[in-house]
Amino acid sequence: MMKYQFHQILLYEIGSRLFCNKNKCSLSEIPNLLQDDPVFQRADEIWLMGVWKNSQSSQKIARTLPLLRPEFQLAKKNLNEIDIYGSPYSINDYVLDDLLGQKDELFNTKQKLNALNKKLILDFVPNHMSIDSIWVNKDPNLFLEANESTESQNQFIHSNGRSYCFGRDPYFNGWTDTIQWDFSNPKVEKIHIEILSEIAQRADGVRCDMAMLLLPDVFERTHGKDFKYSWSRVIKTIKSNFPNFKFYAEVYWNREAELLDLGFDATYDKSLYDSMVENRFESIYNELKNIGRNQRNTPQKIRFLENHDEKRSQLVFAERSKTYFSLLCFSESILLFHFGQSFGFSKKIPVQMVSVDDETIDQELFEFYKRIFLILKNRTGTIFIQQLDFTEFNSLNLLAFQITSNSQKEILIFNPNSIEVSGFLFLDEVVYTKEIYEVIEDNRYNQDPELQNKAQVYFKLAPGKSQWFIL
């Protein structure tokens, strides 16, 4: 059973505007306010989502567009205009929003996080800006003008008198609070490098929104114009001055490999998420069964049960969220964890909102995540993972991993079959204790004394379930 060094990064997403508005704090106060949060304590990187200057036009559209109103009212029953702030993905300019504090807040926040051995990740929205962005006034030619083939619902007349295209992807009409960068203009690439160079002085990386929209065939198919932009050149230029700066890609449509080839450090793994949503156990098994394929120091897959774009994991997965999150804890990945996930909140919060109704904490789920993050925190020193042997169950697919660190040895077993499976899992050495602790359900079991000279552990699993033992 081959051992491999195990690499995992915990990325903690926190909605900055909502958090700061609720807690009446500035951005740089977030680390102090979260010092007792088990997730924050364990996190390697903090993604402060939505820090850039708010668009007044986006705010007005969000407050007046009837289509958005039902989603807002689900998040806040007694909804007021002030609760709706505007989309953080319709950016006026890449400067800190007034809601979050003064000009130096980003620098101070980065310093505080770095002092705690944590990195700061911010948003970069490469495809578009807000329709009232100051960049349109700086250079109106940087943005895509509408032509005779542009559908009316995908264009607007700017205050400068020109007709521009809304930012969009090829499968939907445009986002009506955004203006599309014109990637047929080579100058856009230079402007992006300028923006990213500024961000790189105040953060340790960026999560790039809808990064696959900046692939040549996607832009040309969507807008019918030549594409003169290179992710590769942009990333290489930034990394030449900031070699440790991270580029993470939100990506769909199976374009992950292309973006990795262009220099991204990691990409969303939406296929595994979808397999979990649909409870496709065999697909989950196939996604996770081969360890050691990527012996880089930094994982390339960003895996999650929820983020601000998806429904809350408690609503989607219910009890199965424990099993699926446990599996993610044994996967070499950037493990993305969303603020509120550990509380079992079920309401998806629209990104435009800065005030929502409080929800009741699911205490059982909170205790689950609390003990999980303590275990993850206790993975110290050089960490190794190996896949364990299931030869006696050769007619069934079963998944088992062992993680060994300085302070503990962990075993995870997953049953992707449609029937209950029980028996003995063979280990690489005898590790016998009278009592064995199972993490997911927080149970302790007495072991059979006959196993004290055998490298075995007994398991019993219903379909789609896992057991996580601490030895």
Side-chain angles (χ1 to χ4, degrees), residues 251-304:
V251 54
Y252 308 110
W253 318 330
N254 299 315
R255 308 301 292 264
E256 296 89 347
E258 293 166 77
L259 290 172
L260 290 173
D261 287 344
L262 290 171
F264 277 88
D265 294 282
T267 64
Y268 273 32
D269 185 2
K270 186 64 160 49
S271 61
L272 178 61
Y273 173 80
D274 289 340
S275 294
M276 289 178 169
V277 169
E278 297 164 16
N279 291 318
R280 290 187 273 114
F281 303 145
E282 187 175 353
S283 295
I284 296 168
Y285 168 83
N286 288 329
E287 288 268 3
L288 298 177
K289 68 178 180 179
N290 294 317
I291 61 170
R293 288 176 296 182
N294 170 29
Q295 279 301 294
R296 291 163 45 101
N297 288 333
T298 304
Q300 292 183 302
K301 292 180 181 291
I302 301 171
R303 289 173 165 160
F304 49 84

Side-chain angles (χ1 to χ4, degrees), residues 74-317:
L74 283 174
K76 188 156 191 183
K77 190 176 293 183
N78 296 318
L79 186 67
N80 295 308
E81 294 282 278
I82 198 171
D83 303 325
I84 306 166
Y85 196 65
S87 171
Y89 293 96
S90 173
I91 295 168
N92 177 275
D93 192 17
Y94 282 92
V95 297
L96 188 70
D97 187 69
D98 293 340
L99 183 67
L100 307 178
Q102 303 302 312
K103 186 173 70 172
D104 292 334
E105 287 291 326
L106 270 177
F107 178 75
N108 294 338
T109 304
K110 181 180 185 296
Q111 278 199 317
K112 284 187 177 182
L113 290 174
N114 290 171
L116 296 169
N117 200 29
K118 302 179 192 301
K119 296 184 184 300
L120 173 61
I121 307 297
L122 300 176
D123 292 295
F124 178 58
V125 184
N127 187 64
H128 51 261
M129 297 292 290
S130 68
I131 57 175
D132 57 353
S133 170
I134 66 164
W135 284 94
V136 189
N137 297 327
K138 285 182 179 181
D139 188 344
N141 297 319
L142 294 172
F143 298 91
L144 188 63
E145 290 195 68
N147 56 38
E148 62 278 357
S149 64
T150 307
E151 297 132 322
S152 59
Q153 66 268 30
N154 288 320
Q155 62 177 285
F156 71 101
I157 299 175
H158 192 269
S159 58
N160 65 14
R162 297 195 195 185
S163 292
Y164 288 102
C165 295
F166 292 129
R168 60 178 294 234
D169 79 25
Y171 299 106
F172 300 95
N173 287 325
W175 298 290
T176 57
D177 56 353
T178 69
I179 184 171
Q180 175 72 49
W181 288 104
D182 184 0
F183 297 113
S184 70
N185 182 348
K187 193 175 178 183
V188 171
E189 183 181 309
K190 296 177 182 177
I191 297 299
H192 279 197
I193 289 171
E194 289 179 18
I195 292 170
L196 284 162
S197 295
E198 288 291 318
I199 295 174
Q201 296 176 52
R202 294 172 283 170
D204 300 295
V206 282
R207 176 264 192 191
C208 297
D209 184 71
M210 299 290 281
M212 72 288 179
L213 296 181
L214 276 69
L215 291 172
D217 65 301
V218 176
F219 179 77
E220 290 171 3
R221 185 173 76 249
T222 307
H223 300 290
K225 295 193 74 173
D226 291 339
F227 186 79
K228 297 177 182 176
Y229 183 101
S230 169
W231 267 128
S232 180
R233 282 195 301 266
V234 170
I235 293 171
K236 283 179 181 176
T237 302
I238 299 302
K239 284 181 176 281
S240 67
N241 295 314
F242 304 92
N244 297 317
F245 193 76
K246 302 280 190 74
F247 281 85
Y248 294 156
E250 178 195 19
V251 54
Y252 308 110
W253 318 330
N254 299 315
R255 308 301 292 264
E256 296 89 347
E258 293 166 77
L259 290 172
L260 290 173
D261 287 344
L262 290 171
F264 277 88
D265 294 282
T267 64
Y268 273 32
D269 185 2
K270 186 64 160 49
S271 61
L272 178 61
Y273 173 80
D274 289 340
S275 294
M276 289 178 169
V277 169
E278 297 164 16
N279 291 318
R280 290 187 273 114
F281 303 145
E282 187 175 353
S283 295
I284 296 168
Y285 168 83
N286 288 329
E287 288 268 3
L288 298 177
K289 68 178 180 179
N290 294 317
I291 61 170
R293 288 176 296 182
N294 170 29
Q295 279 301 294
R296 291 163 45 101
N297 288 333
T298 304
Q300 292 183 302
K301 292 180 181 291
I302 301 171
R303 289 173 165 160
F304 49 84
L305 291 190
E306 68 172 69
N307 57 58
H308 70 265
D309 287 313
E310 308 293 350
K311 293 178 181 177
R312 288 289 199 178
S313 55
Q314 178 71 339
L315 182 67
V316 175
F317 302 109

Side-chain angles (χ1 to χ4, degrees), residues 394-413:
N394 55 14
S395 62
L396 296 171
N397 287 329
L398 288 165
L399 197 62
F401 298 117
Q402 176 176 298
I403 283 183
T404 307
S405 62
N406 283 358
S407 57
Q408 62 196 17
K409 184 172 287 189
E410 310 163 48
I411 303 289
L412 183 84
I413 311 167

